[in-house]
Amino acid sequence: MSTSGGTALRPRLLGRATVNAVVAVFVAYTLLPVLWLVLAAAKDRDALFSSDLLSPGGFSFARNLRDLFAMDGGLYGHWYVNSLLYAVLGAAVGSLVSVACGYAFDKYRFRHKEKLFGLVLAAVMVPQTVLALPLYLMASEAGLVNTFWAVFVPVLFNPFGVYLGRIFSRGYVPDEVLEAARVDGAGELTAYARVALRMLGPGLVTVFLFQLTAIWNNFFLPMVMLSDQDLYPVSLGLYAWNSAASVSPEYYPVVIMGSLLAVLPLVAAFVLLQRFWRSGLTAGAVK
């Protein structure tokens, strides 16, 4: 009896060990670049060029941080504020727009509804780099090139967010609740703002996190739209400094330190909002 039990237990342990090994490999693949970035940000230029990151010498974290915000007259601070405006404000407004559109696709009936939603799904598969040139031509006609609005306005409309908004509306907002609100005399906007939007909170946070990540890492659109360095986001500014580092090596430590600081807002957003994000991703999974 014990022999058969031990034989049955052995494949289970082997399977668990295999799963743990695969997970450990993926965790190492994910965390090793972050570890290298943290170690490299704390080293001076000589330690970076000698690839001597693990030695206790060459520690220069505070100096790199000071040099980062002093380089080129404090441009990095401008870039960081720009990125926060583009990403946080853009993700907040964009998630509200996306969830409202998804709610309309779910709860209302109108002509060619499914065909229009099919266009939304088709737009999800279009790479953003393909749209950069048409957006530039439109911004040029409107006189918005090399302005804040040339980067901010296009990120407000996200087809994938509309798709998620419809899924969340179907999973979180019962039709009976809306009917009860209408019976009580609430109009459509009131029912959405006071009833449906509160139920869509987890979905709204989930769409916000997706859009925040996409806008924060957005590179090609600002590169096409902007020529004024004071309007650059962090991603484009660090690219410009990294290009200059081949001629001026003093840019290397500040580029690495700037890259480390650029990761922090995304990490903070996921840590602070992960509870809502998890519940949003599991919408409709549990009845």
Side-chain angles (χ1 to χ4, degrees):
M1 190 74 176
S2 60
T3 303
S4 61
T7 304
L9 184 61
R10 189 177 303 169
R12 185 180 303 174
L13 293 177
L14 289 175
R16 184 178 302 174
T18 302
V19 171
N20 290 337
V22 172
V23 171
V25 169
F26 280 101
V27 169
Y29 178 80
T30 303
L31 294 183
L32 283 178
V34 178
L35 177 61
W36 183 92
L37 185 62
V38 172
L39 294 176
K43 296 295 182 177
D44 57 22
R45 189 176 62 189
D46 294 335
L48 287 177
F49 287 151
S50 62
S51 299
D52 194 14
L53 300 182
L54 298 178
S55 66
F59 185 82
S60 184
F61 187 90
R63 179 181 177 183
N64 291 342
L65 193 61
R66 288 195 302 269
D67 292 343
L68 172 66
F69 287 98
M71 184 69 70
D72 292 346
L75 265 180
Y76 185 81
H78 289 286
W79 296 341
Y80 213 88
V81 172
N82 292 339
S83 287
L84 289 175
L85 287 175
Y86 292 138
V88 177
L89 186 59
V93 177
S95 59
L96 288 172
V97 172
S98 297
V99 170
C101 293
Y103 172 84
F105 272 114
D106 178 47
K107 300 303 180 185
Y108 297 118
R109 296 180 179 178
F110 48 88
R111 192 175 182 183
H112 304 307
K113 168 182 169 179
E114 296 304 326
K115 293 180 180 179
L116 291 174
F117 191 70
L119 290 177
V120 172
L121 296 180
V124 172
M125 297 181 288
V126 178
Q128 294 300 311
T129 53
V130 175
L131 301 176
L133 181 57
L135 288 174
Y136 173 81
L137 295 176
M138 294 171 63
S140 179
E141 289 292 331
L144 297 178
V145 172
N146 201 32
T147 65
F148 170 84
W149 304 105
V151 177
F152 181 75
V153 173
V155 301
L156 300 181
F157 306 98
N158 182 7
F160 184 63
V162 176
Y163 167 75
L164 290 179
R166 184 174 185 178
I167 298 300
F168 291 130
S169 177
R170 184 174 300 173
Y172 277 108
V173 185
D175 294 336
E176 295 79 7
V177 175
L178 296 177
E179 289 297 332
R182 295 186 183 107
V183 169
D184 290 340
E188 295 300 326
L189 289 178
T190 303
Y192 172 71
R194 295 188 178 181
V195 179
L197 195 57
R198 295 181 181 181
M199 296 179 177
L200 289 169
L204 192 65
V205 171
T206 303
V207 177
F208 173 82
L209 285 175
F210 276 112
Q211 294 205 217
L212 177 71
T213 304
I215 299 171
W216 187 269
N217 294 325
N218 194 9
F219 169 77
F220 193 69
L221 181 64
M223 185 177 68
V224 171
M225 293 290 189
L226 303 177
S227 58
D228 185 0
Q229 286 194 347
D230 289 335
L231 295 174
Y232 281 5
V234 169
S235 58
L236 184 57
L238 291 178
Y239 172 79
W241 275 359
N242 189 56
S243 301
S246 58
V247 178
S248 304
E250 64 270 13
Y251 280 103
Y252 278 118
V254 297
V255 167
I256 295 174
M257 176 61 74
S259 300
L260 177 62
L261 295 186
V263 177
L264 298 183
L266 296 182
V267 175
F270 275 91
V271 170
L272 294 175
L273 301 176
Q274 63 176 335
R275 178 168 62 91
F276 300 99
W277 182 53
R278 288 175 180 174
S279 61
L281 290 179
T282 56
V286 180
K287 294 291 185 182

